[in-house]
Amino acid sequence: MSYLLYALAGYLSGSVLYSYEIPKVFCGIDICARGKDHNPGAANVFRYAGPLPGAVCVALDLLKGFLPVAIAVQRLTPDSPWFGLVLAAPVLGHAYPLYYGLRGGGKAIAVSFGALLGLLPELTPALILAIYYLFFSLVAVIDPHFYRSVITFTLFGATVALWLATPSYTIGCVLISVVVIRRHFARYEGEKPSVHLGPHHAKQQERENHR
């Protein structure tokens, strides 16, 4: 029962869409209406509301994933398979938020990092996810972001399942991957994928495409 209560608390924490509410309340901007992908995420806050609101929203999205998991790590047994649900709960809340009728949730990338960082001092899952994102953002650059995120979270879930010896972390990370990938497909708009070697090459290709 304790695990379910902590999972519920994490889900409710994740259900607060700061990246939608903050620009709407403080800037009078509905980023879902303005954004092409209609996503209530920090990227659209940066794009339409500016760097300061964007940075605040990123911090809050990280925090709403971090706090429920970090508190649960101190008070529950992380080795229990039920802890996997606690780990994934904030991400599930962001993707399918209760306060918005289980619809209109975000792609849940920042909150995923927040939840994984909540496992401190265990940083392996967060580092795996970060390494894949950096590789596909700086080395073999996958565009657009839809494909980059889907491939990153697919490899993240598979790597954790094959590498980590803690079943609860594996369950949680695989659940996170499934939720994030589903949310990306829900907002898929038929973009075509491309792969570039390094960010400079990607920018050069982009300039050539606009000539």
Side-chain angles (χ1 to χ4, degrees):
M1 181 61 71
S2 296
Y3 292 91
L4 294 178
L5 290 176
Y6 275 93
L8 177 60
Y11 171 78
L12 294 177
S13 174
S15 289
V16 182
L17 300 182
Y18 296 105
S19 292
Y20 174 75
E21 297 295 345
I22 287 178
K24 187 174 182 180
V25 172
F26 294 99
C27 306
I29 297 174
D30 185 338
I31 64 164
C32 292
R34 289 200 184 185
K36 182 180 178 182
D37 60 358
H38 309 294
N39 182 54
N44 278 339
V45 181
F46 276 102
R47 188 174 293 115
Y48 299 108
L52 180 58
V56 170
C57 290
V58 168
L60 290 174
D61 280 349
L62 287 169
L63 198 61
K64 74 178 186 181
F66 174 83
L67 284 178
V69 176
I71 294 171
V73 165
Q74 300 300 319
R75 301 186 179 183
L76 301 176
T77 304
D79 290 340
S80 169
W82 285 102
F83 192 85
L85 183 60
V86 176
L87 176 59
V91 179
L92 186 63
H94 184 88
Y96 303 97
L98 177 66
Y99 312 128
Y100 303 84
L102 304 181
R103 294 178 295 178
K107 297 176 182 177
I109 295 173
V111 69
S112 295
F113 275 104
L116 295 174
L117 289 171
L119 294 175
L120 284 169
E122 173 59 80
L123 283 176
T124 303
L127 288 174
I128 292 172
L129 183 58
I131 288 170
Y132 277 128
Y133 250 122
L134 289 172
F135 180 79
F136 292 124
S137 298
L138 300 175
V139 183
V141 182
I142 299 176
D143 287 317
H145 193 268
F146 164 82
Y147 292 99
R148 187 184 312 160
S149 293
V150 168
I151 291 173
T152 291
F153 275 89
T154 299
L155 292 175
F156 164 68
T159 302
V160 168
L162 293 172
W163 193 355
L164 289 190
T166 307
S168 59
Y169 292 173
T170 299
I171 292 170
C173 291
V174 170
L175 284 174
I176 288 172
S177 297
V178 170
V179 170
V180 172
I181 291 169
R182 282 181 60 87
R183 287 309 300 164
H184 275 74
F185 271 102
R187 299 190 182 281
Y188 177 58
E189 297 181 346
E191 305 97 325
K192 294 182 180 180
S194 65
V195 180
H196 311 284
L197 296 178
H200 297 296
H201 179 75
K203 291 179 181 178
Q204 181 180 356
Q205 286 292 110
E206 185 177 353
R207 286 195 297 268
E208 291 178 356
N209 291 336
H210 286 286
R211 288 178 180 175

